[in-house]
Amino acid sequence: MTTRAYRETALLNAGLNPFLLKADDVFIDLLTDSGTGAMSDQQWAGIMRGDESYAGSSSFYRLAEVVERLFHYQHTIPVHQGRGAEQILFPSLVERAKQRGASKPLFISNHHFDTTKAHVEIAGGIAKNFICKAALDTSTYSDWKGNLDVAKLASEIEQSGAEQIAAVVITITCNSVGGQPVSMSNIQQVSTLARHHEIPVVIDAARFAENAYFIKQRDPLYADKSIHDIVAGMFVNGDIFTMSAKKDGLVNIGGLCCFKTDKTLFERVQRQCVIMEGFVTYGGLAGRDMEAMAIGLQEACDEEYLRSRIAQVEYLGEKLQRAGIPVQTPVGGHAVFVDASKVLSSVPSTFFPAQMLCNALYIESGVRATEIGSLMMGRNPVTREQEPALFELMRLTIPRRTYTNNHMDYVAESLVRLIEKAPQLRKLVFEYEPEVLRQFTARFKEI
Ligand SMILES: *Cc1c(COP(=O)(O)O)cnc(C)c1O
């Protein structure tokens, strides 16, 4: 724990950007749920037995076996984290679309994650988000705010032509709109439509187990099904999946790029893996990391673990709602998203209201949160205009198996105190703005 005066100086030295704070200067770290969870005794035991062979390590084969058992995908490429999968996969999808006659290949998603969008653009594609309308109204409950707008996808296919679309990317759960789940029927409809037009379906699977849990809770058709059955039911609708295993994979580092049957594409992406990540049976990881991932993927499907995990997020969400703080409703699987555009309704998005809230929360309490809004959205790569953001949200992201509900009480109480002072907060402008993925290293000043 630090003093307010200490935190004021620390944040100033960090350019008023919580990403640039030292973790030691943070009391409760809700910046991200990525790689910040606690590994289990079984995973640590796996770390001890990891096989560090360069080629063909037994840890790789155990990982590939788990992938086949859980997801029923035949071909596995390990990568160092989710973006590693994006960087080796997307160039091949762009190339294939161009061979089919695409001029500027499109990637259509419920919502691209920020690095996913960046990798689409680096590979020469255009990323479009077709999130359902229900997601935009944060104050009204809806079961499936992560759903992709199928009608919009159909009209895009009609207008642009199926050959222009390199892939449909289904992000489960949908982080960018509040960790919201995608329904089984939406996954099925999107997949049916894409397949009819021979468009590959990529599942961005970072939070696959949380999505499966929501399906079990909210869809009566699946109430009696096991998490394993639901996971298999979701993945049968995809052709490829990319995964950051730092989320539901319950590891501190690791990811996957897997192919259900497409051996040609798999082999092409394997070649890219050798150049960018490492040899095809380790992809930038140590054998021990693959061992921990194989175990983490299985633990993530434990229903009792999922229940306690989601219940903790709900616990924080309910405390905030009872205090009248506007949050994305219902709360998501991995985080509570506070609607900064409602808390700071007079602050235009150009002054980054959600970032203002994150900074104020840190000063108030030592709790670190992150912005999901205009700052993260960034500029249009061609016109350099600010891209319109769907939301201005402060994300309180809860690491897995790490904090207690006592910590959540402290977070809620701090935020309630802070909201009363919201009218006094000062607006933010850039002192330094990087060209891409600016949120991570930008520096600000107050006006
Ligand atoms: C985290 C994440 C990624 C990127 O993964 P990294 O492990 O951070 O490289 C991609 N997509 C989604 C949905 C994610 O949550």
Side-chain angles (χ1 to χ4, degrees), residues 193-206:
L193 183 58
R195 287 213 173 128
H196 180 71
H197 294 280
E198 294 176 4
I199 301 166
V201 176
V202 179
I203 299 180
D204 185 352

PDB file of all heavy atoms in Angstrom, residues 193-206:
ATOM      1  N   LEU A 193     -23.481 -19.560 -42.609  1.00  0.00           N
ATOM      2  CA  LEU A 193     -23.446 -18.550 -43.668  1.00  0.00           C
ATOM      3  C   LEU A 193     -22.059 -18.478 -44.311  1.00  0.00           C
ATOM      4  O   LEU A 193     -21.919 -18.464 -45.540  1.00  0.00           O
ATOM      5  CB  LEU A 193     -23.840 -17.193 -43.061  1.00  0.00           C
ATOM      6  CG  LEU A 193     -23.949 -16.000 -44.001  1.00  0.00           C
ATOM      7  CD1 LEU A 193     -24.965 -16.272 -45.099  1.00  0.00           C
ATOM      8  CD2 LEU A 193     -24.353 -14.751 -43.206  1.00  0.00           C
ATOM      9  N   ALA A 194     -21.023 -18.453 -43.468  1.00  0.00           N
ATOM     10  CA  ALA A 194     -19.655 -18.367 -43.985  1.00  0.00           C
ATOM     11  C   ALA A 194     -19.329 -19.600 -44.842  1.00  0.00           C
ATOM     12  O   ALA A 194     -18.773 -19.474 -45.932  1.00  0.00           O
ATOM     13  CB  ALA A 194     -18.660 -18.235 -42.841  1.00  0.00           C
ATOM     14  N   ARG A 195     -19.694 -20.767 -44.343  1.00  0.00           N
ATOM     15  CA  ARG A 195     -19.377 -22.011 -45.075  1.00  0.00           C
ATOM     16  C   ARG A 195     -20.069 -22.049 -46.422  1.00  0.00           C
ATOM     17  O   ARG A 195     -19.489 -22.502 -47.412  1.00  0.00           O
ATOM     18  CB  ARG A 195     -19.843 -23.210 -44.258  1.00  0.00           C
ATOM     19  CG  ARG A 195     -18.918 -23.402 -43.089  1.00  0.00           C
ATOM     20  CD  ARG A 195     -18.761 -24.843 -42.719  1.00  0.00           C
ATOM     21  NE  ARG A 195     -17.726 -24.874 -41.695  1.00  0.00           N
ATOM     22  CZ  ARG A 195     -17.856 -25.460 -40.520  1.00  0.00           C
ATOM     23  NH1 ARG A 195     -18.962 -26.112 -40.236  1.00  0.00           N
ATOM     24  NH2 ARG A 195     -16.879 -25.423 -39.663  1.00  0.00           N
ATOM     25  N   HIS A 196     -21.319 -21.574 -46.446  1.00  0.00           N
ATOM     26  CA  HIS A 196     -22.070 -21.549 -47.694  1.00  0.00           C
ATOM     27  C   HIS A 196     -21.297 -20.768 -48.754  1.00  0.00           C
ATOM     28  O   HIS A 196     -21.365 -21.072 -49.944  1.00  0.00           O
ATOM     29  CB  HIS A 196     -23.449 -20.930 -47.439  1.00  0.00           C
ATOM     30  CG  HIS A 196     -24.309 -20.856 -48.652  1.00  0.00           C
ATOM     31  ND1 HIS A 196     -24.866 -21.982 -49.226  1.00  0.00           N
ATOM     32  CD2 HIS A 196     -24.680 -19.805 -49.428  1.00  0.00           C
ATOM     33  CE1 HIS A 196     -25.552 -21.615 -50.287  1.00  0.00           C
ATOM     34  NE2 HIS A 196     -25.454 -20.306 -50.443  1.00  0.00           N
ATOM     35  N   HIS A 197     -20.535 -19.760 -48.296  1.00  0.00           N
ATOM     36  CA  HIS A 197     -19.767 -18.925 -49.235  1.00  0.00           C
ATOM     37  C   HIS A 197     -18.278 -19.276 -49.235  1.00  0.00           C
ATOM     38  O   HIS A 197     -17.462 -18.498 -49.732  1.00  0.00           O
ATOM     39  CB  HIS A 197     -19.962 -17.453 -48.883  1.00  0.00           C
ATOM     40  CG  HIS A 197     -21.362 -16.973 -49.096  1.00  0.00           C
ATOM     41  ND1 HIS A 197     -21.853 -16.619 -50.333  1.00  0.00           N
ATOM     42  CD2 HIS A 197     -22.402 -16.830 -48.233  1.00  0.00           C
ATOM     43  CE1 HIS A 197     -23.133 -16.256 -50.214  1.00  0.00           C
ATOM     44  NE2 HIS A 197     -23.484 -16.379 -48.955  1.00  0.00           N
ATOM     45  N   GLU A 198     -17.948 -20.398 -48.651  1.00  0.00           N
ATOM     46  CA  GLU A 198     -16.555 -20.866 -48.589  1.00  0.00           C
ATOM     47  C   GLU A 198     -15.602 -19.861 -47.958  1.00  0.00           C
ATOM     48  O   GLU A 198     -14.465 -19.675 -48.409  1.00  0.00           O
ATOM     49  CB  GLU A 198     -16.068 -21.288 -49.985  1.00  0.00           C
ATOM     50  CG  GLU A 198     -16.818 -22.514 -50.474  1.00  0.00           C
ATOM     51  CD  GLU A 198     -16.434 -22.923 -51.895  1.00  0.00           C
ATOM     52  OE1 GLU A 198     -15.529 -22.301 -52.473  1.00  0.00           O
ATOM     53  OE2 GLU A 198     -17.054 -23.879 -52.393  1.00  0.00           O
ATOM     54  N   ILE A 199     -16.103 -19.185 -46.921  1.00  0.00           N
ATOM     55  CA  ILE A 199     -15.258 -18.255 -46.156  1.00  0.00           C
ATOM     56  C   ILE A 199     -14.796 -18.987 -44.900  1.00  0.00           C
ATOM     57  O   ILE A 199     -15.627 -19.529 -44.165  1.00  0.00           O
ATOM     58  CB  ILE A 199     -16.059 -16.997 -45.756  1.00  0.00           C
ATOM     59  CG1 ILE A 199     -16.588 -16.272 -47.001  1.00  0.00           C
ATOM     60  CG2 ILE A 199     -15.217 -16.066 -44.892  1.00  0.00           C
ATOM     61  CD1 ILE A 199     -17.652 -15.232 -46.687  1.00  0.00           C
ATOM     62  N   PRO A 200     -13.476 -19.017 -44.629  1.00  0.00           N
ATOM     63  CA  PRO A 200     -13.020 -19.720 -43.424  1.00  0.00           C
ATOM     64  C   PRO A 200     -13.488 -19.036 -42.132  1.00  0.00           C
ATOM     65  O   PRO A 200     -13.570 -17.805 -42.071  1.00  0.00           O
ATOM     66  CB  PRO A 200     -11.495 -19.689 -43.538  1.00  0.00           C
ATOM     67  CG  PRO A 200     -11.157 -18.721 -44.608  1.00  0.00           C
ATOM     68  CD  PRO A 200     -12.378 -18.493 -45.441  1.00  0.00           C
ATOM     69  N   VAL A 201     -13.797 -19.851 -41.126  1.00  0.00           N
ATOM     70  CA  VAL A 201     -14.223 -19.334 -39.824  1.00  0.00           C
ATOM     71  C   VAL A 201     -13.078 -19.525 -38.830  1.00  0.00           C
ATOM     72  O   VAL A 201     -12.640 -20.653 -38.578  1.00  0.00           O
ATOM     73  CB  VAL A 201     -15.480 -20.062 -39.315  1.00  0.00           C
ATOM     74  CG1 VAL A 201     -15.849 -19.574 -37.912  1.00  0.00           C
ATOM     75  CG2 VAL A 201     -16.643 -19.869 -40.279  1.00  0.00           C
ATOM     76  N   VAL A 202     -12.599 -18.386 -38.284  1.00  0.00           N
ATOM     77  CA  VAL A 202     -11.548 -18.411 -37.266  1.00  0.00           C
ATOM     78  C   VAL A 202     -12.199 -18.127 -35.919  1.00  0.00           C
ATOM     79  O   VAL A 202     -12.932 -17.139 -35.785  1.00  0.00           O
ATOM     80  CB  VAL A 202     -10.479 -17.327 -37.551  1.00  0.00           C
ATOM     81  CG1 VAL A 202      -9.393 -17.348 -36.474  1.00  0.00           C
ATOM     82  CG2 VAL A 202      -9.874 -17.502 -38.930  1.00  0.00           C
ATOM     83  N   ILE A 203     -11.965 -18.978 -34.940  1.00  0.00           N
ATOM     84  CA  ILE A 203     -12.436 -18.682 -33.584  1.00  0.00           C
ATOM     85  C   ILE A 203     -11.268 -18.085 -32.801  1.00  0.00           C
ATOM     86  O   ILE A 203     -10.204 -18.692 -32.711  1.00  0.00           O
ATOM     87  CB  ILE A 203     -12.967 -19.958 -32.887  1.00  0.00           C
ATOM     88  CG1 ILE A 203     -14.165 -20.521 -33.679  1.00  0.00           C
ATOM     89  CG2 ILE A 203     -13.373 -19.656 -31.447  1.00  0.00           C
ATOM     90  CD1 ILE A 203     -14.777 -21.781 -33.074  1.00  0.00           C
ATOM     91  N   ASP A 204     -11.482 -16.851 -32.302  1.00  0.00           N
ATOM     92  CA  ASP A 204     -10.490 -16.230 -31.426  1.00  0.00           C
ATOM     93  C   ASP A 204     -10.883 -16.645 -30.009  1.00  0.00           C
ATOM     94  O   ASP A 204     -11.824 -16.116 -29.430  1.00  0.00           O
ATOM     95  CB  ASP A 204     -10.496 -14.707 -31.610  1.00  0.00           C
ATOM     96  CG  ASP A 204      -9.398 -14.030 -30.806  1.00  0.00           C
ATOM     97  OD1 ASP A 204      -8.741 -14.708 -29.996  1.00  0.00           O
ATOM     98  OD2 ASP A 204      -9.203 -12.810 -30.987  1.00  0.00           O
ATOM     99  N   ALA A 205     -10.149 -17.628 -29.478  1.00  0.00           N
ATOM    100  CA  ALA A 205     -10.678 -18.481 -28.411  1.00  0.00           C
ATOM    101  C   ALA A 205     -10.123 -18.190 -27.023  1.00  0.00           C
ATOM    102  O   ALA A 205     -10.205 -19.035 -26.133  1.00  0.00           O
ATOM    103  CB  ALA A 205     -10.399 -19.935 -28.772  1.00  0.00           C
ATOM    104  N   ALA A 206      -9.588 -16.985 -26.787  1.00  0.00           N
ATOM    105  CA  ALA A 206      -8.923 -16.701 -25.511  1.00  0.00           C
ATOM    106  C   ALA A 206      -9.779 -17.092 -24.305  1.00  0.00           C
ATOM    107  O   ALA A 206      -9.278 -17.633 -23.335  1.00  0.00           O
ATOM    108  CB  ALA A 206      -8.558 -15.221 -25.440  1.00  0.00           C
TER     109      ALA A 206
END
